Amino acid sequence: MDIKAVRDNFLKGFIKENPLFVTVLGTCPALAITTKVENAVGMGIALFFVLILSNLLVSLVTFKPKLRALVMPVRIPVYIVLIATLVVITEMLMEAFLQPLYVTLGVFIPLIVVNCIIFGRAEAYASDHKPLDSVVDGAGMALGFTMAIIIISFFREILGSGMITVWTQGNADLVFDLHFIYDFLGITPIDMFTKPVGGFVMFGLILAVLAAGANAKAEKAKLAAAGVKK
Amino acid sequence: MTNLLTIAFTAFFIENILLYQFLGVCSFIGVGKKRSSSLGMGLAVVVTIILAGMATWAIYRYVMEPLDIGYMKTIVFILVIAALVQMMETIIKKFSPALYKALGIYLPLITTNCAVLGVAITNITRDYSFAEMLVYSAAIPLGYLFVMYIYAIIREKLELNPVPKAFRGIPIAMILAALLAIIFSRFGGLI
């Protein structure tokens, strides 16, 4: 196993196979909790923990041929129990150590159980790859998803409330107040973006920008290919 | 009685599961392309959520609370829902092949529809009584069906219109959902 393959495996979750922007999985939390950057970071941490461990466990139970033959016919219930157990552990840890964040994220923490990304990775990757590869894949995917929701919540928060709240748990107080931009322009932040409407609008716009970029790239590649032919 | 009416109205319009709570959005975007499939999925969700709501509420109240194992609710609920969906599939297949043909393909998708687990958990966290739980678990999926049907009608019309290239597919579907969400957010002023 060389370094380059591992790196590619890790990086594919960010751009090429980004779970949110490319395969459009896990849209529910991406729309609901992205009102603040802090929520996105918290969701990312929870998902990172669950996805890495679920990928590891799933690939461990499907790795040995004998065990695999046993698990494969009933794999969906097996995955559900594994993932649900991890989610309950995450839920308890967050309730104990990150109480305010636990309250804001609310029902979306237990709902990680039915997050399509986790199921998707278990089914599409972890069930037929080595444990270590699966962990790397899980880390890449979870960080790719976290990056995507941080981008969405960055724009939503800056447009909606004129602030960037990065982390306020415990004693930390990492908040950037950007109201001076609005004062300078003589307008107020657009309240709509912190409302549910803003989630749909922002997600749609970001996907459209990405699609426009992909279209332009494809056109360029086509032109280049035509040029070579000549 | 007024209490129940308030719960029903709030669940149906104001806290609409798709446009306000963002549960089940995956299925909304995927299945809400055609009227027939949105109706099939919507009806399957209505039946599942009502049954799952009753089952999980009863298990929580009469088994988990006396034993003081409330923290296990995520695991127990998802297993109950998965078993329930499997059971429904078998029963419908046996007794009504026509209905199975219409709903069958949507049933397996429902286990991972976050709306079902979301409603089951909300019933518990809001500490609803049986009647309140029943009203809430019925109004939420009916709201789902209602919004999804409207959405599918608009999306069918949208297919015939020229959409900018970058917005084709999911981006325009999101913008459309945003417009519906604006309309529904105004219902909040009524209560």
Side-chain angles (χ1 to χ4, degrees):
Chain A
M1 198 161 64
D2 60 323
I3 286 294
K4 197 170 174 297
V6 173
R7 201 189 60 197
D8 285 349
N9 188 13
F10 179 69
L11 287 180
K12 75 175 188 297
F14 285 85
I15 314 269
K16 218 168 80 205
E17 291 178 28
N18 189 297
L20 190 58
F21 289 151
V22 180
T23 41
V24 199
L25 292 175
T27 37
C28 308
L31 291 168
I33 54 104
T34 49
T35 48
K36 273 185 183 175
V37 175
E38 185 183 20
N39 296 350
V41 174
M43 190 71 201
I45 294 172
L47 195 92
F48 184 76
F49 179 75
V50 175
L51 190 53
I52 283 186
L53 289 179
S54 79
N55 261 8
L56 176 69
L57 290 178
V58 165
S59 88
L60 280 179
V61 295
T62 53
F63 188 48
K64 290 264 183 313
K66 229 175 174 176
L67 201 60
R68 186 185 175 85
L70 202 66
V71 167
M72 267 311 174
V74 287
R75 64 181 190 284
I76 303 290
V78 171
Y79 294 170
I80 288 183
V81 175
L82 285 177
I83 297 169
T85 314
L86 291 170
V87 170
V88 172
I89 295 171
T90 316
E91 213 180 329
M92 287 168 142
L93 286 175
M94 284 189 94
E95 194 175 3
F97 295 111
L98 298 170
Q99 236 271 330
L101 199 62
Y102 174 80
V103 174
T104 358
L105 294 181
V107 76
F108 283 92
I109 298 177
L111 283 180
I112 296 177
V113 178
V114 283
N115 193 313
C116 334
I117 297 172
I118 295 179
F119 245 91
R121 290 332 284 174
E123 183 73 20
Y125 194 91
S127 59
D128 50 9
H129 282 83
K130 289 198 187 101
L132 213 60
D133 286 345
S134 304
V135 170
V136 173
D137 172 79
M141 283 292 161
L143 291 176
F145 180 76
T146 312
M147 182 189 79
I149 53 176
I150 287 179
I151 292 173
I152 298 179
S153 49
F154 176 80
F155 285 114
R156 274 182 81 181
E157 200 182 358
I158 208 167
L159 288 171
S161 53
M163 311 231 277
I164 294 296
T165 322
V166 183
W167 194 248
T168 54
Q169 308 299 315
N171 294 325
D173 190 19
L174 209 57
V175 182
F176 299 101
D177 194 340
L178 299 167
H179 274 106
F180 63 88
I181 301 177
Y182 290 96
D183 291 342
F184 178 71
L185 294 171
I187 51 172
T188 48
I190 311 155
D191 191 32
M192 180 190 93
F193 282 99
T194 54
K195 297 271 158 58
V197 184
F200 284 119
V201 171
M202 196 40 84
F203 191 43
L205 287 180
I206 290 177
L207 282 179
V209 168
L210 289 175
N215 284 345
K217 213 173 161 189
E219 209 120 287
K220 221 174 171 183
K222 221 162 130 191
L223 279 180
V228 168
K229 252 183 216 163
K230 270 177 200 166
Chain B
M1 195 59 213
T2 38
N3 180 26
L4 291 183
L5 271 178
T6 316
I7 289 180
F9 186 83
T10 312
F12 193 91
F13 284 115
I14 301 168
E15 286 184 3
N16 188 284
I17 187 138
L18 289 168
L19 301 175
Y20 182 83
Q21 300 187 25
F22 295 118
L23 299 176
V25 177
C26 311
S27 62
F28 178 53
I29 302 294
V31 184
K33 267 186 211 153
K34 269 165 67 197
R35 265 185 290 172
S36 55
S37 56
S38 75
L39 214 55
M41 182 72 178
L43 287 174
V45 166
V46 171
V47 179
T48 319
I49 289 191
I50 295 176
L51 288 179
M54 287 197 285
T56 50
W57 186 88
I59 288 176
Y60 190 83
R61 271 291 147 84
Y62 297 114
V63 181
M64 296 175 71
E65 234 171 24
L67 292 176
D68 203 17
I69 49 168
Y71 58 88
M72 290 283 284
K73 66 173 185 290
T74 312
I75 298 184
V76 173
F77 284 8
I78 188 75
L79 288 177
V80 167
I81 291 167
L84 196 82
V85 170
Q86 196 65 52
M87 224 159 67
M88 268 173 61
E89 203 180 336
T90 321
I91 292 173
I92 293 178
K93 203 174 182 177
K94 174 99 175 124
F95 289 104
S96 167
L99 188 65
Y100 181 74
K101 238 181 188 167
L103 298 186
I105 44 166
Y106 304 112
L107 280 173
L109 292 175
I110 289 180
T111 312
T112 50
N113 189 329
C114 23
V116 184
L117 187 61
V119 170
I121 291 176
T122 312
N123 281 334
I124 300 303
T125 47
R126 293 203 184 157
D127 215 11
Y128 279 150
S129 69
F130 184 77
E132 288 169 336
M133 178 277 296
L134 207 57
V135 168
Y136 185 75
S137 315
I140 282 279
L142 287 174
Y144 177 93
L145 179 64
F146 181 66
V147 169
M148 185 118 117
Y149 194 66
I150 295 179
Y151 187 67
I153 293 173
I154 306 176
R155 265 181 91 174
E156 275 185 0
K157 291 269 178 264
L158 201 67
E159 293 280 297
L160 307 172
N161 289 299
V163 175
K165 209 174 162 197
F167 275 94
R168 262 174 224 165
I170 295 171
I172 193 72
M174 285 288 169
I175 304 291
L176 191 56
L179 295 178
L180 278 179
I182 292 178
I183 299 169
F184 271 73
S185 71
R186 291 296 98 195
F187 282 115
L190 287 177
I191 282 192

